[in-house]
Amino acid sequence: MRKKPIKKLAASVLLAGLALGVTGCFKPSKSSVEESEYYQDLKDDYDKVSQQLKDEKKKTSSLNKQIQSIQEASGDEKLADYKSQIKDSIIGKVDFTADSVKEKTFAVTNTPVCDYAKEIITGCNRVLGVTPDDLEDTYDDYYSYALMDEDNTTFEFKVYGDSFLVFDDIPSNVYAYNGASVLGDALIDAAVQKSYDDFADRIADADLIVTDEKLQYSTDAINASKILAGIINNKIDNANYDTDDWDEYRFYTKGTVTKVQINSDDKIICIENKGGNQTFYRISEKNLTSLEKILK
């Protein structure tokens, strides 16, 4: 009579165990899970999807390389077209801006400056192993140059560092021209202006000397400043001369221009600051000859 309750209890325990197994309250072993048919089916599906993803990545990578190659080749063709167009054209104006001082622009119609900007395009070459993204990551600032020819065709590019160029119409390629930044360095107002003790120190720091006939660079500016430093104590008080016919040299220091005007006959130097204020100095025959050798 006591066996029936025991059988019922055993049956109840077995059913409870099965229920617990189904609901997950009993944790199965790792090996039993991995060996289950359900797990194997999931693993097969996962492996298939993973392989498909790898295949798609390879295809995408290959396609991206092909696209990049086409863009680079088409970019070189575009630059060759630029060079062909610009070879015999006349650049009449160049606009300069800096990313750090966007509200300030500088437009130039001076022939030597325009010719130099034209030379940047005709003389640059593509740089391998460097991308426009690399330049944006490396340099906090850049210059923008916009060259306009006699037909109002515009050639625009950005200058990173001293030499790297990215043309607006060729965004995938990087080109280089040694010293491409010198125009921006000289002509565009620097975000932070340096203070100088006198005009000779400012001239010594000039990136460019600009006349209506040619450009000269920092070495000549330094040599000229050494001579001009010697005239500071030879100021002509209350002088008022008409300098329209005097030889004029514009020294550009980070966007600040200092004009040096020379009257060779009377041996007088006029120094004009960016605000247009003029100061006159006498210069010796020897120093005048040395200065003119540097500047002419």
Side-chain angles (χ1 to χ4, degrees), residues 199-206 221-222 224-225 228 251 253 258 260 271:
F199 71 83
D201 285 345
R202 180 178 290 106
I203 283 173
D205 211 17
I222 292 169
S225 74
L228 291 169
F251 290 73
T253 310
T258 306
V260 176
I271 304 296

Side-chain angles (χ1 to χ4, degrees), residues 159-295:
V159 179
Y160 295 85
D162 174 71
S163 309
F164 293 115
L165 315 174
V166 177
F167 288 86
D168 288 14
D169 290 341
I170 314 174
S172 298
N173 293 4
V174 175
Y175 300 89
Y177 182 88
N178 189 35
S181 70
V182 70
L183 297 178
D185 290 340
L187 302 176
I188 301 173
D189 285 339
V192 178
Q193 288 286 343
K194 185 177 176 181
S195 179
Y196 298 93
D197 291 335
D198 51 53
F199 71 83
D201 285 345
R202 180 178 290 106
I203 283 173
D205 211 17
D207 296 288
L208 284 182
I209 308 170
V210 179
T211 70
D212 293 334
E213 282 136 21
K214 63 180 179 178
L215 295 181
Q216 291 167 269
Y217 305 99
S218 56
T219 300
D220 291 321
I222 292 169
N223 292 332
S225 74
K226 292 176 181 177
I227 296 171
L228 291 169
I231 70 169
I232 289 175
N233 295 324
N234 299 331
K235 180 180 176 182
I236 304 173
D237 294 327
N238 303 316
N240 185 16
Y241 296 96
D242 182 0
T243 61
D244 288 347
D245 295 328
W246 294 18
D247 293 329
E248 181 179 279
Y249 302 87
R250 297 181 292 281
F251 290 73
Y252 284 93
T253 310
K254 311 303 178 191
T256 297
V257 61
T258 306
K259 294 181 182 178
V260 176
Q261 297 162 306
I262 301 175
N263 181 336
S264 299
D265 294 333
D266 296 330
K267 301 177 185 58
I268 298 174
I269 301 291
C270 173
I271 304 296
E272 182 177 319
N273 65 20
K274 192 171 184 176
N277 298 316
Q278 294 180 324
T279 308
F280 296 88
Y281 302 86
R282 295 203 180 277
I283 187 170
S284 69
E285 178 77 40
K286 178 182 178 182
N287 285 340
L288 177 60
T289 300
S290 298
L291 182 62
E292 289 181 330
K293 281 183 180 180
I294 295 168
L295 297 179

Side-chain angles (χ1 to χ4, degrees), residues 24-35:
C25 293
F26 285 166
K27 186 175 180 180
S29 68
K30 181 179 178 181
S31 60
S32 64
V33 171
E34 292 178 348
E35 291 172 2

Side-chain angles (χ1 to χ4, degrees), residues 74-87 121 153 155 170:
S74 64
D76 288 342
E77 290 176 5
K78 182 73 172 179
L79 182 62
D81 182 49
Y82 274 5
K83 291 185 178 184
S84 177
Q85 288 182 59
I86 209 172
K87 181 179 178 183
I121 295 179
T153 302
F155 307 89
I170 314 174

Side-chain angles (χ1 to χ4, degrees), residues 18-73:
L18 289 171
L20 290 172
V22 170
T23 58
C25 293
F26 285 166
K27 186 175 180 180
S29 68
K30 181 179 178 181
S31 60
S32 64
V33 171
E34 292 178 348
E35 291 172 2
S36 69
E37 182 178 352
Y38 180 67
Y39 177 86
Q40 292 299 322
D41 288 342
L42 286 178
K43 186 175 182 304
D44 289 343
D45 290 341
Y46 174 81
D47 291 341
K48 288 177 183 177
V49 172
S50 295
Q51 187 59 47
Q52 288 175 355
L53 287 174
K54 288 180 182 178
D55 293 340
E56 287 300 322
K57 284 182 179 179
K58 286 181 180 179
K59 290 178 182 178
T60 302
S61 177
S62 177
L63 182 60
N64 286 339
K65 287 180 181 178
Q66 291 179 41
I67 292 172
Q68 182 179 353
S69 178
I70 291 170
Q71 288 175 337
E72 289 174 349

